[in-house]
Amino acid sequence: MVAVIGSSSKLRKKKTLKKGIQFTLMIVGQSGTGRSTFINSLCGQQVVDTSTTIPDPSDSSSEKELTLRTENVELEDNEGVKVSLSIIDTPGFGDSIDNESSFSIIIDYIRHQYDEILLEESRIRRNPRFKDGRVHCLLYFIVPTGHGLREIDVEIMKRLSGLVNVIPVISKADSLTKSELTLNKKLIMEDLKHYNIPIYNFPYDLDYDDEETIDANTALRALIPFAVVGSNDEITGPDGDLIRVRQYPWGTIDIEDPDQSDFITLRSALLISHLQDLKEHTQEILYEKYRTDALSDKDKKNNSTIDLSYPDLKSNPSKLSFNINNQSSNNLNLSPINDSAASAISDVYASKEEAVRLEQERLNLLEEKFKQDLLRRKQELLEKERELREMEERLERAQHFKTDQKDLTAENFSF
Ligand SMILES: Nc1nc2c(ncn2[C@@H]2O[C@H](COP(=O)(O)OP(=O)(O)OP(=O)(O)O)[C@@H](O)[C@H]2O)c(=O)[nH]1
Ligand SMILES: [Mg+2]
C-alpha cells in the first residue's frame, strides 16, 4: 500500500525527483518511548505492530539484547513523488544495566554501511545490484522527564553524532505542560551544548543559501528538540478526512496540529523539505570524514610499522633520465632527454606511484577490516555453539533425571 504524505511543490528543494528516493531512517530510544507508534504515525499506516512490543513483566532478566528491525515502506506525496523509506527500529535499546553492547550494535551497523561503500568504491567493476544502506538520519527519542538529558542520552548521542545526522526528539510530548515543555527543550539544548554534541541542526550558509532556505532552517532549528505526539488511532474529522488522534477522557489531541506538537513539521522536514539535504550531508560531510579517518588511520599504522618510502624521483631526476636512456636508446630509439623533460616525466611517475600506493593502502585497510569482522563473527559463532552444547547437555541431564525419577516411582509403586 502506498500512503500519501502531503504536498511537496513548495517544500521540496528545486530538484526534479521523478524516480523514487531511497531514504533510511533509524529510530533509537528506550523501550516504551513511543518509537513504534511514531513509525506508524510517520507512515500514516500500521507498519509496526505495537501490541507485540509491550515488555513482558514476568521477564526479570536485566540483560536484554538490542535488535535492529528494518521495515520498508513506500510513501508518495501529493505530486506522485515516491519515497522508499527504510526504517530501522531498535527494540531493546537501553534496557540493560550495561548498555555498552547496544551502543556497539548501533554504531557497528552504521560504520559497516560506510565500509561497504568504501569497498564498493574500490572495486574495478562495480556491483550493479549494490544497495547503499547508509543511515541518512537518526531520530533519538528522549524520555519526557521534565529535566534535561540523562547519562545514557549524552553517551549515545556523543558517540553517534559524528557518524550520522542525529535529530533529538522529545517523545510523548503530551505528558508535559506547555511551560514544562519549553523548559525541557531549553535544558536539553543546554546539555547538548555543554557536552559538545554536534547534532544535525539544519545547517545553512548565509552567503550561499537563499533567504527562503535560511528562514526555513532557522525556524526548524528553533524547534530542536522536536516535541512529538504519536498515535495509532484515526477518527473521521468534520470534513470526512481521517485524523490521527490521541483520545483522553478530557479531550482529543490531533497529532498533526502544529499547536499541539512538532510532529507534522518534523515529518515534512524528514520526508519532504530536508530529505535530500540529509542525504547530501551524509554523503559529503559524514561519509567523507569517515573515509578520510579510516584511510589516514591506516596510513598512520603503516607508517609506524612498514617503510613505505619510494625513491624520491622528484628530487633525483637524473636517476630517472639515466634509467630511461639506458633502457631505451638501443631498443626504442629515443632521443636523449634533457633535464626539464626528465623532471616532467619523473613528476608523472612519482604521482602515479603515489596514487598506486594510496590505492594499495586503501585495499589493505579494507582487507584488514574484513578479516577482523570475520574473526569476530567466528568467535561469536563459536561462543553460540558452546552455549548450545551446554544447553543440550543440560536438557539431556534433565531428561535423564526425569527418567530416573519415573523408574524410581514405578519401583516404589510396583508392589
Ligand atoms: N501519551 C502518549 N503515549 C504514547 C505516545 N506514543 C506512544 N504512546 C504510548 O506508549 C506506549 C508505548 O508505545 P510504543 O510505540 O509501543 O513504544 P516503543 O518505544 O515502540 O516500545 P518498545 O517497542 O516496547 O520498546 C503505548 O501504550 C503507546 O500508546 C504519545 O505520543 N503520547
Ligand atoms: Mg516498539
Side-chain angles (χ1 to χ4, degrees), residues 9 30 52 54 71 92 117 225 252 284 304 322 360 373 382 403:
S9 59
Q30 256 180 290
T52 58
I54 295 167
E71 305 288 346
I117 299 278
T252 301
E284 288 161 19
S304 59
F322 169 78
Q360 188 57 49
D373 214 27
L382 282 172
T403 323

Side-chain angles (χ1 to χ4, degrees), residues 272-284:
I272 303 173
S273 64
H274 284 72
L275 181 138
Q276 208 58 38
D277 283 13
L278 286 158
K279 288 188 78 165
E280 280 169 16
H281 202 258
T282 306
Q283 165 71 28
E284 288 161 19

